[in-house]
Amino acid sequence: RGAPRGPHTARLTGSLGAAARRQALAEIRNGTADLVVGTHALLSEGVEYSKLGLVITDEQHRFGVSQRAALAEKADSPHILVMSATPIPRTLALMIYGDLDVSMIDELPPGRQKVETYAVKENMRPRIRKFAEKLVGEGRQVYVVCPMIGDDEQCSADLQSAKELYDELRDKVFPNLRLELLHGRMKGSEKDRVMSAFASGKVDILVSTTVVEVGVDVPNAALMVVENAERFGLSQLHQLRGRVGRGMHKSYCILIQGSDGGDADARLRVMTKSNDGFRIAEED
């Protein structure tokens, strides 16, 4: 007899080797897999489900309408749950026009504090760097997010690149602190190494692109600095801000505006006045 077995889980991603993929597809097809976890690979051709009863889409705003439909069509009217921490405008449209019942969690988890948010200009950079050094001295960690990677990217000269800023901070500004660089062109193993080091507290300041926008949970991180914040959508800034304030420590988000013009001031001011994702989505 023995103890009852728990649900058998299969994983399906595009990076699986041929043998592992064949095994996963077989388990999904014959019903051996009770729970299937994966990426967009789950909705690709050739993936057949034995009896698909529930489809859960996390970070649903990263999936297109046709992609969600493709997965739902792999079964006869399965139950569907879509989740998102940031209700971007398309999500609001789904609420209005889609056949969905909506549940909203509009309060912080127990023990968390509101993240103080400031929109500043370039002249505040020296004070920001002193503040970052102060927080690191207290044992906290810092994110610095840039809109571009650098090198051969064709982009305006006034945009801060992650590679250039990383070199400057490491060599000239914080030579005594532990810094790492993270961006989407790095190999998967290298990205994993950097994130693991940051999560374990071996890195003080992580200079990154928006690869840290979702799915990163480091409760000790207490400061998010966003360069050229006017180049990001409000909902994206809200997601980035959500990388801090995840633990017991008071946390801060500083949005550095790299250029004036247009409605940049008014848009960033929304971020300083509200932590409400729904209001921010409406403004966006």
Side-chain angles (χ1 to χ4, degrees):
R1 293 182 178 180
R5 74 177 182 90
H8 176 64
T9 303
R11 177 172 66 94
L12 184 63
T13 65
S15 61
L16 284 181
R21 178 178 174 80
R22 282 195 300 270
Q23 179 179 343
L25 289 175
E27 293 179 348
I28 296 169
R29 184 172 53 252
N30 63 30
T32 305
D34 305 300
L35 177 66
V36 185
V37 181
T39 59
H40 291 73
L42 293 176
L43 50 87
S44 60
E45 291 185 17
V47 182
E48 300 176 6
Y49 296 86
S50 171
K51 186 183 283 188
L52 183 60
L54 173 64
V55 176
I56 301 175
T57 306
D58 194 14
E59 301 295 349
Q60 70 89 16
H61 56 276
R62 290 179 170 264
F63 290 78
V65 174
S66 60
Q67 289 176 321
R68 285 192 297 273
L71 188 52
E73 288 171 0
K74 289 183 176 291
D76 183 16
S77 300
H79 297 289
I80 297 175
L81 172 64
V82 297
M83 301 186 295
S84 177
T86 299
I88 64 173
R90 184 168 62 185
T91 310
L92 298 179
L94 278 172
M95 293 177 184
I96 296 171
Y97 301 111
D99 185 17
L100 296 173
D101 294 322
V102 181
S103 297
M104 293 182 289
I105 301 175
D106 57 2
E107 58 188 18
L108 292 172
R112 291 195 186 178
Q113 304 177 53
K114 177 182 176 181
V115 177
E116 290 189 18
T117 305
Y118 303 91
V120 302
K121 301 295 178 65
E122 292 275 355
N123 62 336
M124 293 292 290
R125 194 179 299 281
R127 290 184 60 182
I128 295 169
R129 290 176 172 177
K130 287 182 180 179
F131 183 56
E133 192 167 22
K134 174 179 177 292
L135 288 177
V136 171
E138 295 172 357
R140 306 288 75 77
Q141 292 164 278
V142 177
Y143 294 99
V144 179
V145 173
C146 300
M148 59 182 288
I149 299 173
D151 287 348
D152 58 347
E153 285 182 298
Q154 296 298 316
C155 208
S156 171
D158 63 349
L159 289 186
Q160 186 70 260
S161 80
K163 287 185 176 180
E164 291 177 358
L165 184 59
Y166 169 70
D167 290 340
E168 178 190 356
L169 296 181
R170 180 195 59 190
D171 299 336
K172 300 177 181 179
V173 182
F174 304 119
N176 298 321
L177 301 183
R178 301 168 298 176
L179 280 74
E180 283 283 3
L181 174 66
L182 182 69
H183 58 77
R185 290 186 194 164
M186 296 166 59
K187 294 182 178 179
S189 58
E190 182 65 7
K191 286 190 285 188
D192 290 343
R193 181 195 68 78
V194 171
M195 277 312 309
S196 177
F198 189 67
S200 63
K202 297 176 182 178
V203 174
D204 300 314
I205 300 177
L206 180 64
V207 181
S208 173
T209 57
T210 55
V211 292
V212 297
E213 181 183 348
V214 295
V216 177
D217 184 17
V218 181
N220 190 51
L223 175 61
M224 166 64 70
V225 179
V226 182
E227 298 280 351
N228 297 109
E230 75 281 359
R231 295 300 186 106
F232 296 86
L234 295 184
S235 293
Q236 191 172 33
L237 291 175
H238 184 61
Q239 284 275 30
L240 289 170
R241 176 169 60 185
R243 297 312 97 203
V244 296
R246 306 179 73 85
M248 62 172 56
H249 311 292
K250 181 62 181 174
S251 297
Y252 308 85
C253 177
I254 300 178
L255 309 174
I256 301 179
Q257 185 176 332
S259 61
D260 298 321
D263 58 355
D265 289 344
R267 290 178 63 252
L268 295 183
R269 197 155 48 241
V270 172
M271 294 294 300
T272 67
K273 293 182 177 180
S274 178
N275 275 261
D276 183 344
F278 289 93
R279 181 189 167 192
I280 289 171
E282 290 172 358
E283 294 289 343
D284 215 11

